[in-house]
Amino acid sequence: MPRQLSIAAFMMRYGHHVAAWRHPETDLASNPFKVFREQVRSAERACLDAVFFADSVALTGAPSLEPLTLLSALAASTERIGLIGTATTTYNEPYTVARQFASLDLLSDGRAGWNLVTSDNAAEAANFGRDQHVAHADRYARAREFHQVVTGLWNSWDPGALVDDKSGELPYDPARLHKLNHRGEHFSVAGPLNVVRSPQGRPVVVQAGGSETGRDLAAATAEVVFTAQPTLAKAQVFYRDIKDRVVAKGRKPESVKIMPGLFAVVGRTQAEADEKFAQLQALIEPKAGLALLGRMIGNFDLSAYPLDGPLPELPQTQDGQRSRQQLLTDLAQGENLTIRQLYERIAGGRGHFTVVGTAAKVADQMQEWFEQGAADGFNFMAPALPGGLDDFLTLVIPELQRRGLFRTAYSGSTLREHLDL
């Protein structure tokens, strides 16, 4: 078959725009699971590869659900769509994460994915008995070993280890089960894991680091890379860099899917799309916009600076996302933006690829990135729920299908099959 796009839906409680919760159509009162369930079922009817849930173990902005619990409930409410959730390597233990995602993978018949992150939110530290957040280099050193332990635990069960034979002493073949006996700088884990393999073998590993250290970790460990790239040119540079690093690690370039975030406001006409976007922008509360910018640019308090003045020179973040800090600083300096203009610019896409327009315009942009070596697919960021995702599913997906760029039906049942991994 001709190469086709991989598309996931990046789900947030109210949507990705910082003012989405204030939108007139946003439901603040309903059980959030019911909202997500209907949206994920819609995404499954549109044959999306997966839904993706980020996570933070501190309150920043809107409250959120613990993703493994949510995804387990969604596994019982869906049949084919992939289920990707985030678990930090900074404030978790590898045996717990390996067991949780292996369980989700088994319960969903092979639809789970683990988004490996190192926690860029400094506020999380105080919830785990720390006065300060773990330094950037230390977080990534721990993450590398964390991944090694988790995948080692997943591999402690050989294929076919579970036997369908009631005459034996055990329901599994002990010769096909292995202890890990890991002893490292950060972890000591005996194993084996007490959860067997799923139909896809093990969960898909997703990574989103954009710094030099993050890219190196992604090249060594990831099967899907989520990334924030605002322009085609920058996305092409990132795409080639990751693929080259993957090859340097002894892996095949096609073994890693690169899926930039896509924030799109879709209308049946350009005027309708512009009006939808303007409505959200008008709802931005300055304190919320400033707080979002401060966290995303490296966990800095910008409240002492005038909103209509320039972005101050900031030191390199020690506990936030260095790649996102560089992206936002370049944006502010390149276009001479004030602090207010900068937070207004990122209030929806948060530094990601942003399109406001018709289904044809959005599809044109996606096709260009796909065909010009900038993306293998996209992680769609709905402006507000439910309307923002519904617009994308009912308008853009059919347009991509007409162009032969996206499936019209699932050909497999596991997340690996959907992603062609």
Side-chain angles (χ1 to χ4, degrees), residues 136-341:
H136 188 271
D138 294 336
R139 295 203 312 271
Y140 274 94
R142 178 183 168 96
R144 282 189 290 272
E145 188 178 340
F146 198 111
H147 172 268
Q148 180 185 355
V149 175
V150 167
T151 53
L153 288 168
W154 287 339
N155 291 330
S156 58
W157 290 83
D158 287 344
L162 203 64
V163 295
D164 186 13
D165 180 5
K166 296 181 180 180
S167 64
E169 295 181 359
L170 295 167
Y172 58 85
D173 181 355
R176 296 186 180 185
L177 183 63
H178 313 285
K179 278 197 168 187
L180 183 62
N181 291 325
H182 175 89
R183 299 292 184 272
E185 179 182 355
H186 299 277
F187 306 108
S188 176
V189 181
L193 193 64
N194 60 352
V195 182
V196 301
R197 287 181 181 269
S198 80
Q200 72 169 350
R202 61 177 177 81
V204 172
V205 176
V206 182
Q207 220 270 327
S211 66
E212 181 68 21
T213 312
R215 293 184 190 203
D216 192 63
L217 179 65
T221 66
E223 296 167 284
V224 176
V225 175
F226 291 154
T227 178
Q229 302 296 331
T231 66
L232 173 64
K234 288 182 180 295
Q236 288 171 320
V237 171
F238 179 87
Y239 186 94
R240 179 44 49 204
D241 180 60
I242 293 294
K243 296 288 186 175
D244 288 346
R245 289 174 191 250
V246 167
V247 172
K249 299 288 185 184
R251 306 172 64 197
K252 295 181 180 180
E254 64 270 19
S255 67
V256 177
K257 298 286 185 178
I258 298 176
M259 299 172 63
L262 167 63
F263 176 86
V265 182
V266 189
R268 296 186 182 278
T269 65
Q270 183 65 47
E272 181 182 88
D274 290 339
E275 183 179 353
K276 289 180 179 180
F277 185 54
Q279 182 183 28
L280 283 167
Q281 291 292 93
L283 294 173
I284 300 172
E285 203 280 324
K287 287 185 178 180
L290 189 64
L292 173 68
L293 175 60
R295 188 177 73 78
M296 299 204 69
I297 207 165
N299 295 312
F300 290 102
D301 183 359
L302 300 175
S303 60
Y305 300 95
L307 291 182
D308 295 311
L311 182 71
E313 289 191 18
L314 300 171
Q316 185 181 62
T317 180
Q318 297 303 308
D319 52 25
Q321 291 187 52
R322 291 183 178 177
S323 59
R324 193 64 60 90
Q325 181 185 38
Q326 189 64 54
L327 186 156
L328 297 180
T329 301
D330 290 346
L331 178 61
Q333 293 176 348
E335 299 186 24
N336 197 28
L337 301 177
T338 65
I339 290 176
R340 187 193 306 274
Q341 290 170 331

Side-chain angles (χ1 to χ4, degrees), residues 31-74:
N31 182 328
F33 170 68
K34 294 180 180 178
V35 176
F36 283 134
R37 181 181 59 193
E38 296 313 307
Q39 291 282 274
V40 173
R41 284 174 172 172
S42 295
E44 185 173 60
R45 287 193 292 270
C47 300
L48 265 58
D49 293 67
V51 289
F52 166 66
F53 289 86
D55 190 35
S56 176
V57 286
L59 178 62
T60 53
S64 60
L65 293 172
E66 191 282 309
L68 267 296
T69 306
L70 173 59
L71 289 170
S72 296
L74 291 171

Side-chain angles (χ1 to χ4, degrees), residues 305-421:
Y305 300 95
L307 291 182
D308 295 311
L311 182 71
E313 289 191 18
L314 300 171
Q316 185 181 62
T317 180
Q318 297 303 308
D319 52 25
Q321 291 187 52
R322 291 183 178 177
S323 59
R324 193 64 60 90
Q325 181 185 38
Q326 189 64 54
L327 186 156
L328 297 180
T329 301
D330 290 346
L331 178 61
Q333 293 176 348
E335 299 186 24
N336 197 28
L337 301 177
T338 65
I339 290 176
R340 187 193 306 274
Q341 290 170 331
L342 183 57
Y343 76 59
E344 288 177 344
R345 179 69 65 87
I346 70 164
R350 307 178 188 224
H352 289 267
F353 176 34
T354 297
V355 186
V356 178
T358 62
K361 179 179 178 179
V362 175
D364 285 345
Q365 295 286 301
M366 295 175 72
Q367 183 171 1
E368 182 180 22
W369 281 45
F370 182 57
E371 294 178 348
Q372 297 300 316
D376 295 312
F378 296 92
N379 200 14
F380 177 70
M381 304 163 61
L385 294 182
L389 181 59
D390 290 342
D391 289 340
F392 182 78
L393 297 178
T394 59
L395 299 175
V396 178
I397 292 297
E399 179 63 25
L400 294 171
Q401 291 170 332
R402 282 192 290 271
R403 300 182 187 195
L405 292 169
F406 193 65
R407 69 173 67 87
T408 56
Y410 290 113
S411 59
S413 59
T414 69
L415 178 54
R416 288 185 180 280
E417 289 173 318
H418 300 342
L419 293 166
D420 194 25
L421 292 171

